[in-house]
PDB file of all heavy atoms in Angstrom:
ATOM      1  N   SER A   1       0.814  -1.222   0.000  1.00 95.00           N
ATOM      2  CA  SER A   1       0.000   0.000   0.000  1.00 95.00           C
ATOM      3  C   SER A   1       0.843   1.266   0.000  1.00 95.00           C
ATOM      4  O   SER A   1       0.327   2.353  -0.269  1.00 95.00           O
ATOM      5  CB  SER A   1      -0.930   0.007   1.213  1.00 95.00           C
ATOM      6  OG  SER A   1      -0.182   0.006   2.419  1.00 95.00           O
ATOM      7  N   GLY A   2       2.138   1.154   0.303  1.00 96.00           N
ATOM      8  CA  GLY A   2       2.988   2.337   0.344  1.00 96.00           C
ATOM      9  C   GLY A   2       4.444   1.969   0.490  1.00 96.00           C
ATOM     10  O   GLY A   2       4.797   0.804   0.691  1.00 96.00           O
ATOM     11  N   VAL A   3       5.300   2.975   0.360  1.00 97.00           N
ATOM     12  CA  VAL A   3       6.733   2.791   0.545  1.00 97.00           C
ATOM     13  C   VAL A   3       7.266   3.953   1.376  1.00 97.00           C
ATOM     14  O   VAL A   3       6.819   5.100   1.232  1.00 97.00           O
ATOM     15  CB  VAL A   3       7.475   2.710  -0.807  1.00 97.00           C
ATOM     16  CG1 VAL A   3       7.323   4.002  -1.615  1.00 97.00           C
ATOM     17  CG2 VAL A   3       8.941   2.371  -0.617  1.00 97.00           C
ATOM     18  N   TRP A   4       8.203   3.651   2.259  1.00 96.00           N
ATOM     19  CA  TRP A   4       8.812   4.675   3.086  1.00 96.00           C
ATOM     20  C   TRP A   4       9.974   5.327   2.335  1.00 96.00           C
ATOM     21  O   TRP A   4      10.950   4.658   1.993  1.00 96.00           O
ATOM     22  CB  TRP A   4       9.303   4.081   4.404  1.00 96.00           C
ATOM     23  CG  TRP A   4       8.181   3.728   5.327  1.00 96.00           C
ATOM     24  CD1 TRP A   4       7.599   2.516   5.487  1.00 96.00           C
ATOM     25  CD2 TRP A   4       7.502   4.627   6.212  1.00 96.00           C
ATOM     26  NE1 TRP A   4       6.584   2.587   6.417  1.00 96.00           N
ATOM     27  CE2 TRP A   4       6.493   3.873   6.877  1.00 96.00           C
ATOM     28  CE3 TRP A   4       7.634   5.981   6.515  1.00 96.00           C
ATOM     29  CZ2 TRP A   4       5.636   4.428   7.816  1.00 96.00           C
ATOM     30  CZ3 TRP A   4       6.782   6.544   7.446  1.00 96.00           C
ATOM     31  CH2 TRP A   4       5.796   5.776   8.088  1.00 96.00           C
ATOM     32  N   THR A   5       9.833   6.618   2.052  1.00 96.00           N
ATOM     33  CA  THR A   5      10.956   7.363   1.497  1.00 96.00           C
ATOM     34  C   THR A   5      11.949   7.660   2.620  1.00 96.00           C
ATOM     35  O   THR A   5      11.585   7.676   3.801  1.00 96.00           O
ATOM     36  CB  THR A   5      10.486   8.668   0.844  1.00 96.00           C
ATOM     37  OG1 THR A   5       9.791   9.470   1.814  1.00 96.00           O
ATOM     38  CG2 THR A   5       9.547   8.365  -0.328  1.00 96.00           C
ATOM     39  N   VAL A   6      13.219   7.876   2.249  1.00 95.00           N
ATOM     40  CA  VAL A   6      14.274   7.932   3.256  1.00 95.00           C
ATOM     41  C   VAL A   6      15.178   9.139   3.051  1.00 95.00           C
ATOM     42  O   VAL A   6      15.213   9.742   1.976  1.00 95.00           O
ATOM     43  CB  VAL A   6      15.126   6.641   3.221  1.00 95.00           C
ATOM     44  CG1 VAL A   6      14.270   5.424   3.570  1.00 95.00           C
ATOM     45  CG2 VAL A   6      15.787   6.444   1.857  1.00 95.00           C
ATOM     46  N   ASP A   7      15.928   9.454   4.119  1.00 94.00           N
ATOM     47  CA  ASP A   7      16.936  10.502   4.006  1.00 94.00           C
ATOM     48  C   ASP A   7      18.253   9.904   3.517  1.00 94.00           C
ATOM     49  O   ASP A   7      18.318   8.724   3.142  1.00 94.00           O
ATOM     50  CB  ASP A   7      17.094  11.253   5.335  1.00 94.00           C
ATOM     51  CG  ASP A   7      17.636  10.381   6.465  1.00 94.00           C
ATOM     52  OD1 ASP A   7      18.189   9.288   6.195  1.00 94.00           O
ATOM     53  OD2 ASP A   7      17.520  10.798   7.642  1.00 94.00           O
ATOM     54  N   GLU A   8      19.306  10.715   3.543  1.00 92.00           N
ATOM     55  CA  GLU A   8      20.583  10.259   3.000  1.00 92.00           C
ATOM     56  C   GLU A   8      21.226   9.145   3.819  1.00 92.00           C
ATOM     57  O   GLU A   8      22.137   8.463   3.355  1.00 92.00           O
ATOM     58  CB  GLU A   8      21.558  11.436   2.878  1.00 92.00           C
ATOM     59  CG  GLU A   8      21.965  12.081   4.193  1.00 92.00           C
ATOM     60  CD  GLU A   8      20.945  13.095   4.704  1.00 92.00           C
ATOM     61  OE1 GLU A   8      19.867  13.234   4.062  1.00 92.00           O
ATOM     62  OE2 GLU A   8      21.233  13.747   5.723  1.00 92.00           O
ATOM     63  N   THR A   9      20.730   8.917   5.047  1.00 94.00           N
ATOM     64  CA  THR A   9      21.259   7.822   5.870  1.00 94.00           C
ATOM     65  C   THR A   9      20.277   6.655   5.946  1.00 94.00           C
ATOM     66  O   THR A   9      20.425   5.771   6.782  1.00 94.00           O
ATOM     67  CB  THR A   9      21.598   8.304   7.287  1.00 94.00           C
ATOM     68  OG1 THR A   9      20.403   8.611   8.003  1.00 94.00           O
ATOM     69  CG2 THR A   9      22.517   9.520   7.253  1.00 94.00           C
ATOM     70  N   LEU A  10      19.275   6.657   5.056  1.00 93.00           N
ATOM     71  CA  LEU A  10      18.306   5.560   4.914  1.00 93.00           C
ATOM     72  C   LEU A  10      17.347   5.439   6.089  1.00 93.00           C
ATOM     73  O   LEU A  10      16.784   4.368   6.343  1.00 93.00           O
ATOM     74  CB  LEU A  10      19.025   4.227   4.671  1.00 93.00           C
ATOM     75  CG  LEU A  10      19.880   4.187   3.404  1.00 93.00           C
ATOM     76  CD1 LEU A  10      20.648   2.870   3.321  1.00 93.00           C
ATOM     77  CD2 LEU A  10      19.021   4.377   2.153  1.00 93.00           C
ATOM     78  N   ILE A  11      17.104   6.553   6.782  1.00 94.00           N
ATOM     79  CA  ILE A  11      16.078   6.617   7.821  1.00 94.00           C
ATOM     80  C   ILE A  11      14.792   7.156   7.187  1.00 94.00           C
ATOM     81  O   ILE A  11      14.814   8.173   6.493  1.00 94.00           O
ATOM     82  CB  ILE A  11      16.526   7.518   8.981  1.00 94.00           C
ATOM     83  CG1 ILE A  11      17.771   6.946   9.648  1.00 94.00           C
ATOM     84  CG2 ILE A  11      15.399   7.683   9.993  1.00 94.00           C
ATOM     85  CD1 ILE A  11      17.597   5.558  10.241  1.00 94.00           C
ATOM     86  N   PRO A  12      13.651   6.490   7.387  1.00 94.00           N
ATOM     87  CA  PRO A  12      12.404   6.944   6.769  1.00 94.00           C
ATOM     88  C   PRO A  12      12.018   8.368   7.171  1.00 94.00           C
ATOM     89  O   PRO A  12      12.194   8.775   8.322  1.00 94.00           O
ATOM     90  CB  PRO A  12      11.372   5.936   7.291  1.00 94.00           C
ATOM     91  CG  PRO A  12      12.163   4.689   7.531  1.00 94.00           C
ATOM     92  CD  PRO A  12      13.479   5.190   8.074  1.00 94.00           C
ATOM     93  N   VAL A  13      11.480   9.083   6.175  1.00 93.00           N
ATOM     94  CA  VAL A  13      11.000  10.439   6.421  1.00 93.00           C
ATOM     95  C   VAL A  13       9.517  10.593   6.101  1.00 93.00           C
ATOM     96  O   VAL A  13       8.884  11.560   6.529  1.00 93.00           O
ATOM     97  CB  VAL A  13      11.813  11.471   5.614  1.00 93.00           C
ATOM     98  CG1 VAL A  13      13.257  11.494   6.091  1.00 93.00           C
ATOM     99  CG2 VAL A  13      11.761  11.197   4.110  1.00 93.00           C
ATOM    100  N   GLY A  14       8.940   9.661   5.347  1.00 93.00           N
ATOM    101  CA  GLY A  14       7.527   9.773   5.032  1.00 93.00           C
ATOM    102  C   GLY A  14       7.037   8.573   4.255  1.00 93.00           C
ATOM    103  O   GLY A  14       7.815   7.860   3.607  1.00 93.00           O
ATOM    104  N   LEU A  15       5.736   8.333   4.330  1.00 94.00           N
ATOM    105  CA  LEU A  15       5.110   7.223   3.626  1.00 94.00           C
ATOM    106  C   LEU A  15       4.500   7.741   2.331  1.00 94.00           C
ATOM    107  O   LEU A  15       3.694   8.678   2.345  1.00 94.00           O
ATOM    108  CB  LEU A  15       4.037   6.573   4.500  1.00 94.00           C
ATOM    109  CG  LEU A  15       3.397   5.289   3.983  1.00 94.00           C
ATOM    110  CD1 LEU A  15       4.435   4.193   3.819  1.00 94.00           C
ATOM    111  CD2 LEU A  15       2.292   4.832   4.930  1.00 94.00           C
ATOM    112  N   ALA A  16       4.899   7.135   1.207  1.00 96.00           N
ATOM    113  CA  ALA A  16       4.458   7.583  -0.111  1.00 96.00           C
ATOM    114  C   ALA A  16       3.706   6.467  -0.825  1.00 96.00           C
ATOM    115  O   ALA A  16       3.602   5.333  -0.342  1.00 96.00           O
ATOM    116  CB  ALA A  16       5.666   8.024  -0.933  1.00 96.00           C
ATOM    117  N   GLU A  17       3.182   6.781  -2.011  1.00 96.00           N
ATOM    118  CA  GLU A  17       2.532   5.773  -2.834  1.00 96.00           C
ATOM    119  C   GLU A  17       3.540   4.672  -3.198  1.00 96.00           C
ATOM    120  O   GLU A  17       4.741   4.937  -3.288  1.00 96.00           O
ATOM    121  CB  GLU A  17       1.963   6.408  -4.106  1.00 96.00           C
ATOM    122  CG  GLU A  17       0.799   7.350  -3.849  1.00 96.00           C
ATOM    123  CD  GLU A  17      -0.398   6.624  -3.239  1.00 96.00           C
ATOM    124  OE1 GLU A  17      -0.763   5.539  -3.756  1.00 96.00           O
ATOM    125  OE2 GLU A  17      -0.955   7.123  -2.256  1.00 96.00           O
ATOM    126  N   PRO A  18       3.070   3.439  -3.415  1.00 92.00           N
ATOM    127  CA  PRO A  18       4.007   2.323  -3.587  1.00 92.00           C
ATOM    128  C   PRO A  18       4.914   2.438  -4.807  1.00 92.00           C
ATOM    129  O   PRO A  18       5.956   1.789  -4.860  1.00 92.00           O
ATOM    130  CB  PRO A  18       3.093   1.102  -3.681  1.00 92.00           C
ATOM    131  CG  PRO A  18       1.750   1.639  -4.021  1.00 92.00           C
ATOM    132  CD  PRO A  18       1.672   2.994  -3.406  1.00 92.00           C
ATOM    133  N   ASP A  19       4.561   3.282  -5.792  1.00 94.00           N
ATOM    134  CA  ASP A  19       5.408   3.437  -6.968  1.00 94.00           C
ATOM    135  C   ASP A  19       6.357   4.628  -6.849  1.00 94.00           C
ATOM    136  O   ASP A  19       7.045   4.982  -7.817  1.00 94.00           O
ATOM    137  CB  ASP A  19       4.560   3.580  -8.227  1.00 94.00           C
ATOM    138  CG  ASP A  19       3.614   4.773  -8.183  1.00 94.00           C
ATOM    139  OD1 ASP A  19       3.538   5.452  -7.123  1.00 94.00           O
ATOM    140  OD2 ASP A  19       2.932   5.032  -9.197  1.00 94.00           O
ATOM    141  N   ALA A  20       6.439   5.248  -5.677  1.00 94.00           N
ATOM    142  CA  ALA A  20       7.254   6.450  -5.523  1.00 94.00           C
ATOM    143  C   ALA A  20       8.746   6.165  -5.672  1.00 94.00           C
ATOM    144  O   ALA A  20       9.512   7.035  -6.104  1.00 94.00           O
ATOM    145  CB  ALA A  20       6.985   7.096  -4.158  1.00 94.00           C
ATOM    146  N   VAL A  21       9.190   4.969  -5.301  1.00 95.00           N
ATOM    147  CA  VAL A  21      10.591   4.580  -5.470  1.00 95.00           C
ATOM    148  C   VAL A  21      10.734   3.699  -6.702  1.00 95.00           C
ATOM    149  O   VAL A  21      11.531   3.973  -7.597  1.00 95.00           O
ATOM    150  CB  VAL A  21      11.106   3.844  -4.221  1.00 95.00           C
ATOM    151  CG1 VAL A  21      12.521   3.308  -4.432  1.00 95.00           C
ATOM    152  CG2 VAL A  21      11.068   4.767  -3.008  1.00 95.00           C
ATOM    153  N   PHE A  22       9.952   2.627  -6.752  1.00 95.00           N
ATOM    154  CA  PHE A  22       9.903   1.729  -7.911  1.00 95.00           C
ATOM    155  C   PHE A  22       8.666   0.863  -7.748  1.00 95.00           C
ATOM    156  O   PHE A  22       8.376   0.405  -6.645  1.00 95.00           O
ATOM    157  CB  PHE A  22      11.169   0.867  -7.982  1.00 95.00           C
ATOM    158  CG  PHE A  22      11.339   0.139  -9.288  1.00 95.00           C
ATOM    159  CD1 PHE A  22      11.584   0.840 -10.459  1.00 95.00           C
ATOM    160  CD2 PHE A  22      11.253  -1.240  -9.348  1.00 95.00           C
ATOM    161  CE1 PHE A  22      11.745   0.181 -11.677  1.00 95.00           C
ATOM    162  CE2 PHE A  22      11.416  -1.911 -10.552  1.00 95.00           C
ATOM    163  CZ  PHE A  22      11.665  -1.196 -11.724  1.00 95.00           C
ATOM    164  N   ASP A  23       7.960   0.666  -8.843  1.00 93.00           N
ATOM    165  CA  ASP A  23       6.695  -0.059  -8.798  1.00 93.00           C
ATOM    166  C   ASP A  23       6.933  -1.532  -9.134  1.00 93.00           C
ATOM    167  O   ASP A  23       7.288  -1.879 -10.261  1.00 93.00           O
ATOM    168  CB  ASP A  23       5.715   0.560  -9.794  1.00 93.00           C
ATOM    169  CG  ASP A  23       4.291   0.061  -9.597  1.00 93.00           C
ATOM    170  OD1 ASP A  23       4.113  -0.906  -8.834  1.00 93.00           O
ATOM    171  OD2 ASP A  23       3.371   0.648 -10.196  1.00 93.00           O
ATOM    172  N   TRP A  24       6.710  -2.405  -8.150  1.00 96.00           N
ATOM    173  CA  TRP A  24       6.956  -3.834  -8.309  1.00 96.00           C
ATOM    174  C   TRP A  24       5.703  -4.629  -8.633  1.00 96.00           C
ATOM    175  O   TRP A  24       5.774  -5.853  -8.803  1.00 96.00           O
ATOM    176  CB  TRP A  24       7.564  -4.400  -7.020  1.00 96.00           C
ATOM    177  CG  TRP A  24       8.835  -3.741  -6.605  1.00 96.00           C
ATOM    178  CD1 TRP A  24       8.982  -2.741  -5.689  1.00 96.00           C
ATOM    179  CD2 TRP A  24      10.162  -4.039  -7.073  1.00 96.00           C
ATOM    180  NE1 TRP A  24      10.313  -2.395  -5.551  1.00 96.00           N
ATOM    181  CE2 TRP A  24      11.059  -3.177  -6.389  1.00 96.00           C
ATOM    182  CE3 TRP A  24      10.676  -4.961  -7.992  1.00 96.00           C
ATOM    183  CZ2 TRP A  24      12.438  -3.198  -6.605  1.00 96.00           C
ATOM    184  CZ3 TRP A  24      12.045  -4.991  -8.214  1.00 96.00           C
ATOM    185  CH2 TRP A  24      12.914  -4.117  -7.524  1.00 96.00           C
ATOM    186  N   ARG A  25       4.572  -3.982  -8.757  1.00 94.00           N
ATOM    187  CA  ARG A  25       3.310  -4.700  -8.823  1.00 94.00           C
ATOM    188  C   ARG A  25       3.182  -5.599 -10.051  1.00 94.00           C
ATOM    189  O   ARG A  25       2.583  -6.676  -9.977  1.00 94.00           O
ATOM    190  CB  ARG A  25       2.141  -3.710  -8.760  1.00 94.00           C
ATOM    191  CG  ARG A  25       1.926  -3.127  -7.376  1.00 94.00           C
ATOM    192  CD  ARG A  25       0.889  -2.026  -7.364  1.00 94.00           C
ATOM    193  NE  ARG A  25       1.377  -0.808  -8.030  1.00 94.00           N
ATOM    194  CZ  ARG A  25       0.746   0.351  -8.016  1.00 94.00           C
ATOM    195  NH1 ARG A  25      -0.414   0.459  -7.385  1.00 94.00           N
ATOM    196  NH2 ARG A  25       1.262   1.398  -8.638  1.00 94.00           N
ATOM    197  N   ASP A  26       3.727  -5.184 -11.174  1.00 94.00           N
ATOM    198  CA  ASP A  26       3.557  -5.945 -12.415  1.00 94.00           C
ATOM    199  C   ASP A  26       4.768  -6.806 -12.750  1.00 94.00           C
ATOM    200  O   ASP A  26       4.896  -7.292 -13.874  1.00 94.00           O
ATOM    201  CB  ASP A  26       3.251  -4.998 -13.578  1.00 94.00           C
ATOM    202  CG  ASP A  26       1.902  -4.297 -13.411  1.00 94.00           C
ATOM    203  OD1 ASP A  26       0.993  -4.931 -12.834  1.00 94.00           O
ATOM    204  OD2 ASP A  26       1.773  -3.139 -13.844  1.00 94.00           O
ATOM    205  N   GLY A  27       5.671  -6.997 -11.804  1.00 96.00           N
ATOM    206  CA  GLY A  27       6.793  -7.898 -12.016  1.00 96.00           C
ATOM    207  C   GLY A  27       7.858  -7.378 -12.954  1.00 96.00           C
ATOM    208  O   GLY A  27       8.237  -8.077 -13.912  1.00 96.00           O
ATOM    209  N   PRO A  28       8.398  -6.195 -12.710  1.00 97.00           N
ATOM    210  CA  PRO A  28       9.440  -5.664 -13.588  1.00 97.00           C
ATOM    211  C   PRO A  28      10.769  -6.401 -13.420  1.00 97.00           C
ATOM    212  O   PRO A  28      11.009  -7.069 -12.408  1.00 97.00           O
ATOM    213  CB  PRO A  28       9.567  -4.214 -13.122  1.00 97.00           C
ATOM    214  CG  PRO A  28       9.219  -4.277 -11.667  1.00 97.00           C
ATOM    215  CD  PRO A  28       8.120  -5.297 -11.577  1.00 97.00           C
TER     216      PRO A  28
END
């Protein structure tokens, strides 16, 4: 349902739509 976007040290900063980083739903 979502993906956690991160800062430069990989600590989450916010919850975004699941395709905000890369969309895995269709098996890329």
Side-chain angles (χ1 to χ4, degrees):
S1 62
V3 62
W4 288 96
T5 58
V6 297
D7 65 16
E8 64 278 4
T9 70
L10 299 175
I11 297 300
V13 295
L15 187 61
E17 292 297 313
D19 59 355
V21 174
F22 193 67
D23 192 349
W24 302 97
R25 286 173 289 189
D26 294 327

